[in-house]
Amino acid sequence: MKRPKKPTRAQKQILSYYHLKPETWLVKEETDTTLVVINRFTDTVRELNTEGLDLRSEFRGRKGKK
């Protein structure tokens, strides 16, 4: 089994979408439609559905807003 890794920025956005704190979760596996994460402290495994999520518009920075 591969070692769980820290989430990337895009994966952090997915975790935030599901109301999970990115600093407490590690990425175990990622496919086109799912993201499997494991909790650092409790070893709880969750499988998040990423199919159809468009997080680009939701997490835009403040540069474009006036």
Side-chain angles (χ1 to χ4, degrees):
M1 179 168 83
K2 288 180 76 174
R3 177 180 289 183
K5 304 288 185 192
K6 288 174 33 176
T8 63
R9 185 174 185 171
Q11 292 167 341
K12 286 179 184 180
Q13 292 174 348
I14 294 169
L15 289 169
S16 295
Y17 177 81
Y18 282 100
H19 305 289
L20 301 173
K21 292 183 179 179
E23 58 270 5
T24 60
W25 294 90
L26 296 172
V27 177
K28 188 173 181 182
E29 180 182 348
E30 182 177 23
T31 63
D32 292 339
T33 60
T34 60
L35 181 68
V36 180
V37 292
I38 184 168
N39 191 295
R40 289 178 188 248
F41 308 111
T42 63
D43 291 334
T44 305
V45 178
R46 292 192 62 176
E47 188 171 333
L48 307 175
N49 184 11
T50 60
E51 187 175 8
L53 290 181
D54 184 23
L55 301 175
R56 290 176 293 203
S57 61
E58 185 176 334
F59 290 100
R60 287 198 180 144
R62 295 184 178 155
K63 287 183 177 180
K65 296 181 181 177
K66 289 190 176 185

